[in-house]
Amino acid sequence: MASSLEIAKKAKEAFVDDSFKLAVDLFSEAIDLSPNDANLFADRAQAHLKLNNLTEAAADASKAIEIDPSMAKAYLRKGTACMKLGEYLTAKEALEIGTSLAQNDSRFTKLLKECDQHLADFQPSTVPASVASKLSDTTAGILEESKKGCCMSQQISTITSVSPKYSHGYYQKPEEVVVTIYAKGIRANNIVVDFGEQILSVKIGVHDEDAYYFQPRLFGKIIPDKCRYEVLSTKVEIRLAKAEIINWPSLEYSKEIAVTQKVNVLSVESQRPAYPSSMPRKRDWDKLEAQVKQEEKEEKLDGDAGVNRMFQDIYLNADEDMRRAMSKSFMESNGTVLSTDWTDVGSKKVEATAPDGMELKKWEY
């Protein structure tokens, strides 16, 4: 039986010969034999990029980073895939960390410049939630009815894939989308779920059966840190935290639907609401929005919310070196260290540090 190194060598030869599909298949065989080899996932990500399998490429690159956070090429491939998917914030974060690991690689500099240009061109197209929360009781009643409608919306569809074959469905609330994959008897250690800025990646591997993949590009952006999933006896339930409180007309992104949604939102935003009043005056919504933002800025938060606000303010007001230091130290230390000194952390790997009275424990998957 061939070893993973021998199979990986054949995969690389297939890649050089532009046989990218064969390369993916061979890398997959090698990964089955060596599931903790970050290089295999990073190389398969590159093959997926050549085939324009962008969600698969992003998922493989993320797995490589999870195994080896110091692998520069994994950040490059994740950044490339996310940029092609339009996930520029996620791409920028990956590329900045990659730049710190490979400072002489001009590819990172070029992609970061392109990414910054896309972010500069981006214009938000939704009504600010802060303003919506301050609308009159009449508007609040309308929004409440719309929320009830959102909660009732549900769509069930069947996924056509290689064995095993599962169906999935979803429903949504104003703040989250709940995706259900009807997979009976699946063990928790046989499923891997990853969350991106606008990507959901699910892999279910069952003994003696081909792995099942569900990797849609989602209709809207999500907050990965707030997403979670639970493996039950008859299904896998995945909860996606929406980045914006808007109704998703579908689970997966569609350019046609997105354009229609954007036009509708812009139309609503351009027509500032006017409500019946005994006073012959108009309400200045721009001024109200500015007041709400100022109130939020001056609001004093306690506990975890206050700490989170402090870190957000530090990051927003930091220069590029401070941001790179924060991203690198937080990621490499598994969330136990947060440094703003790039001269201290830029040239070394940041080790995880446990709080006083506690000890680090590495979880095995």
Side-chain angles (χ1 to χ4, degrees):
M1 182 178 178
S3 67
S4 62
L5 289 176
E6 292 171 334
I7 297 174
K9 182 179 179 181
K10 292 180 181 179
K12 291 176 182 178
E13 291 173 354
F15 184 91
V16 172
D17 292 337
D18 292 342
S19 299
F20 304 121
K21 179 64 172 64
L22 177 60
V24 167
D25 293 339
L26 290 171
F27 279 128
S28 298
E29 289 183 27
I31 287 171
D32 288 339
L33 296 174
S34 300
N36 294 318
D37 190 330
N39 276 297
L40 294 177
F41 283 98
D43 290 342
R44 189 172 69 174
Q46 180 72 341
H48 276 309
L49 282 173
K50 291 294 185 180
L51 293 169
N52 208 34
N53 298 335
L54 303 180
T55 54
E56 291 86 347
D60 274 351
S62 296
K63 183 64 178 179
I65 291 169
E66 178 186 330
I67 297 172
D68 183 2
S70 64
M71 180 176 288
K73 68 179 181 181
Y75 292 99
L76 180 66
R77 285 158 195 178
K78 181 176 181 179
T80 302
C82 289
M83 281 189 64
K84 291 184 177 181
L85 286 168
E87 296 192 25
Y88 300 116
L89 289 176
T90 303
K92 181 178 175 65
E93 181 181 357
L95 293 170
E96 285 179 340
I97 297 173
T99 301
S100 68
L101 298 172
Q103 298 181 8
N104 296 324
D105 193 331
S106 61
R107 292 175 296 177
F108 284 104
T109 306
K110 180 181 178 181
L111 285 173
L112 267 174
K113 184 177 181 181
E114 183 180 342
C115 188
D116 287 335
Q117 182 60 51
H118 283 295
L119 288 172
D121 293 340
F122 175 77
Q123 295 295 330
S125 59
T126 57
V127 178
S130 55
V131 176
S133 66
K134 301 291 184 178
L135 293 177
S136 68
D137 292 341
T138 303
T139 309
I142 295 172
L143 289 175
E144 186 61 32
E145 288 299 318
S146 118
K147 289 179 182 178
K148 291 178 181 178
C150 290
C151 294
M152 295 301 293
S153 66
Q154 183 169 5
Q155 178 176 332
I156 303 293
S157 61
T158 300
I159 302 170
T160 302
S161 67
V162 180
S163 175
K165 188 176 182 180
Y166 303 119
S167 61
H168 80 277
Y170 82 96
Y171 66 91
Q172 62 181 302
K173 301 176 183 179
E175 71 284 353
E176 70 175 359
V177 175
V178 182
V179 180
T180 302
I181 298 178
Y182 300 97
K184 186 176 181 180
I186 298 299
R187 295 183 179 180
N189 59 356
N190 283 333
I191 181 169
V192 178
V193 180
D194 289 315
F195 305 102
E197 185 181 346
Q198 200 173 345
I199 295 176
L200 169 63
S201 175
V202 181
K203 176 186 176 183
I204 301 177
V206 183
H207 184 61
D208 290 333
E209 294 183 13
D210 293 331
Y212 159 84
Y213 292 91
F214 179 49
Q215 297 172 318
R217 180 183 179 187
L218 301 171
F219 177 82
K221 295 185 184 297
I222 59 175
I223 307 173
D225 292 341
K226 294 184 178 180
C227 297
R228 62 191 188 280
Y229 71 95
E230 183 177 5
V231 181
L232 304 174
S233 60
T234 59
K235 62 184 179 180
V236 179
E237 189 172 85
I238 304 167
R239 295 183 175 271
L240 307 173
K242 293 181 181 178
E244 298 173 303
I245 302 179
I246 60 173
N247 181 52
W248 289 12
S250 67
L251 176 64
E252 300 187 37
Y253 177 84
S254 167
K255 187 174 182 180
E256 293 76 13
I257 296 177
V259 170
T260 303
Q261 184 89 344
K262 184 175 181 180
V263 170
N264 290 339
V265 171
L266 288 173
S267 176
V268 171
E269 187 177 17
S270 64
Q271 299 173 5
R272 295 289 186 175
Y275 300 97
S277 172
S278 59
M279 298 294 290
R281 64 185 179 86
K282 294 183 178 180
R283 181 172 294 183
D284 189 338
W285 292 99
D286 292 325
K287 183 177 180 181
L288 177 60
E289 179 180 344
Q291 290 174 348
V292 170
K293 288 183 177 179
Q294 185 64 28
E295 290 174 6
E296 289 180 344
K297 185 176 181 181
E298 295 175 354
E299 181 183 9
K300 293 183 178 180
L301 302 175
D302 297 324
D304 291 340
V307 174
N308 289 336
R309 171 70 66 80
M310 178 187 71
F311 286 135
Q312 290 172 4
D313 291 342
I314 292 175
Y315 189 84
L316 289 173
N317 296 321
D319 58 26
E320 282 299 311
D321 283 345
M322 288 179 65
R323 290 185 178 184
R324 289 162 61 191
M326 292 174 74
S327 296
K328 184 174 185 291
S329 61
F330 187 83
M331 190 159 193
E332 291 185 351
S333 69
N334 293 322
T336 61
V337 176
L338 185 64
S339 172
T340 58
D341 187 355
W342 179 248
T343 59
D344 180 42
V345 303
S347 59
K348 67 179 182 180
K349 182 177 180 179
V350 181
E351 300 294 339
T353 303
D356 293 339
M358 301 181 73
E359 62 178 281
L360 291 172
K361 182 176 180 181
K362 184 176 181 181
W363 292 96
E364 299 293 339
Y365 293 95

